[in-house]
Amino acid sequence: MAAGIIGTGSYLPSLTVSNQDLEKIMDTTDEWIKSRTGIERRHIAVEETTVSMAVEAARLALENAGVSPSELDLILVGTISPDHFFPSTACEVQKALAAENATAFDISAACSGFLFGLGIVNAYMAAGMIKTALVIGAETLSKLMDWNDRGTCVLFGDGAGAAVIRRQDEGILSMVQGSDGGRGEVLTCENRKVNNPYRKNPSDLSFTAMNGQEVYKFAVRTVPASVDEALMKAGVRADEIKYFILHQANIRIIEAVAKRLGQPIEKFPTNLQECGNISAGSVPILLDFVNRQGKLQKGDKIVLAGFGAGLTWGAAVLIW
Ligand code: ACO
């Protein structure tokens, strides 16, 4: 038996902010952003929250799969921008869906959150513990940005993507996951610091900070290596893969990965032009775009891959 994706859904906030819109509020240009990243627009939450977007994406994924909420045994949400410390986003999604039979918890693995969720579902299904699961990647990254730091705030967007997974004959063939906490300082966002009456000089809130060049080097080395390893484990050649659905951080990273894997760029769909980087949301939102464009047929082999803060990375080879 295998863990197979049987439905997808996604939600993007209604406000679209173009590079030209950003030019009006900070010292940046469309040309700088587009030439370095490929990003043209992003969706920014105004009324939406991480939970509300996760719920919308989940409803669409359940509808696409033809599965009712009560059939769900497990709900996982990959997020680094939850609405609350607790309860978890996953428990709030469970409540909104009335998925009373599910166990629900969050995963903190930044842009690899969806891939790590898929790994947990794969293991639970292999162990015979569950039959049907919902994995969501949902982020409101705009609230973690310093909007005076043009080097980071232009890169990210908000949104959510979801997939319904069922224990069936075909699905995930192999998974690779990894972490390197030793290099975590290249991409960080501090939470509340110790701030009680006994602490002298309590600190201010801080925001996302990134060493972009180090993240770039990490991505272009780690993503091809993890995809190669997942392909080897699955016994599948790269040329048998229809689509490589990668985390949408930067078009130059995607082009470099395609080159290193020796695969044509047409096999690497993108939506970062429209969405920016949505961390854990990126992979499931792009998967949903590709699925709803009718580009996936039963039996197609695809690769999903993510990388991000932690540092973390994950890749999966699966049959659609
Ligand atoms: N508009 C205009 N100028 C800018 C902007 C901006 N938005 N941001 C930075 N600059 C300026 C800087 O101030 C600097 O100016 P200076 O030379 O006068 O000091 C100049 O542009 C170059 O800045 P760098 O930070 O060195 O820019 P770089 O060429 O490295 O590009 C980028 C930055 C796009 C982030 C690049 O490092 C990159 O692609 N990194 C990969 C990491 C990535 O994509 N991260 C996204 C999220 S991480 C994840 O998802 C895991």
Side-chain angles (χ1 to χ4, degrees):
M1 296 300 271
I5 296 179
I6 60 166
T8 62
S10 61
Y11 179 88
L12 296 169
S14 52
L15 177 68
T16 306
V17 177
S18 67
N19 293 346
Q20 288 82 1
D21 293 329
L22 292 181
E23 284 176 359
K24 293 179 198 142
I25 59 166
M26 66 184 72
D27 182 15
T28 191
T29 60
D30 174 50
E31 197 281 326
W32 192 98
I33 301 170
K34 213 158 46 181
S35 63
R36 280 179 173 74
T37 69
I39 297 164
E40 295 171 22
R41 285 174 286 283
R42 72 285 295 142
H43 295 256
I44 300 291
V46 181
E47 299 301 331
E48 296 92 345
T49 67
T50 299
V51 170
S52 75
M53 294 188 287
V55 168
E56 287 309 315
R59 287 206 167 107
L60 291 166
L62 287 165
E63 193 183 288
N64 188 239
V67 164
S68 74
S70 61
E71 292 176 72
L72 294 173
D73 305 310
L74 182 66
I75 299 173
L76 301 178
V77 180
T79 185
I80 48 169
S81 49
D83 298 338
H84 318 294
F85 286 119
F86 50 82
S88 68
T89 308
C91 280
E92 297 210 58
V93 170
Q94 177 194 25
K95 177 178 160 191
L97 296 176
E100 68 278 3
N101 299 315
T103 300
F105 59 96
D106 288 358
I107 301 160
S108 176
C111 312
S112 311
F114 181 78
L115 264 298
F116 279 26
L118 221 49
I120 294 169
V121 167
N122 194 35
Y124 275 37
M125 288 192 178
M129 290 166 65
I130 57 168
K131 190 175 165 218
T132 310
L134 175 67
V135 181
I136 302 168
E139 302 287 8
T140 317
L141 297 174
S142 59
K143 69 184 177 186
L144 304 184
M145 295 301 137
D146 175 355
W147 284 85
N148 293 311
D149 176 10
R150 63 180 182 171
T152 51
C153 69
V154 303
L155 304 174
F156 296 92
D158 300 331
V164 178
I165 298 130
R166 181 156 270 173
R167 197 161 165 253
Q168 57 182 28
D169 289 341
E170 285 190 322
I172 295 172
L173 297 172
S174 68
M175 293 218 59
V176 168
Q177 297 176 334
S179 305
D180 182 0
R183 285 192 289 163
E185 76 284 350
V186 300
L187 185 52
T188 59
C189 182
E190 300 283 345
N191 204 328
R192 289 189 208 178
K193 294 184 180 157
V194 177
N195 195 9
N196 58 44
Y198 308 102
R199 168 126 185 161
K200 290 193 182 98
N201 308 319
S203 324
D204 290 334
L205 275 179
S206 61
F207 296 94
T208 299
M210 179 176 73
N211 180 333
Q213 281 157 19
E214 286 305 313
V215 174
Y216 186 90
K217 282 189 241 162
F218 154 68
V220 296
R221 271 191 224 119
T222 310
V223 178
S226 60
V227 170
D228 272 338
E229 192 185 338
L231 287 169
M232 201 180 67
K233 272 181 149 181
V236 172
R237 295 186 316 275
D239 59 84
E240 293 177 69
I241 298 298
K242 185 165 183 187
Y243 291 120
F244 295 83
I245 295 180
L246 304 188
H247 172 51
Q248 300 289 291
N250 186 311
I251 195 71
R252 294 185 304 149
I253 293 175
I254 293 168
E255 287 165 357
V257 172
K259 201 167 161 199
R260 289 197 186 192
L261 291 172
Q263 293 300 301
I265 194 70
E266 294 70 32
K267 284 184 163 192
F268 292 73
T270 57
N271 64 0
L272 59 82
Q273 297 82 352
E274 305 298 315
C275 300
N277 178 347
I278 312 182
S279 192
S282 271
V283 170
I285 292 170
L286 180 58
L287 180 63
D288 184 49
F289 276 34
V290 173
N291 183 25
R292 283 174 195 267
Q293 285 162 2
K295 291 183 174 168
L296 291 170
Q297 266 76 52
K298 196 170 159 42
D300 284 343
K301 294 191 180 83
I302 62 171
V303 163
L304 308 179
F307 63 92
L311 298 171
T312 57
W313 57 93
V317 180
L318 57 96
I319 300 188
W320 191 253

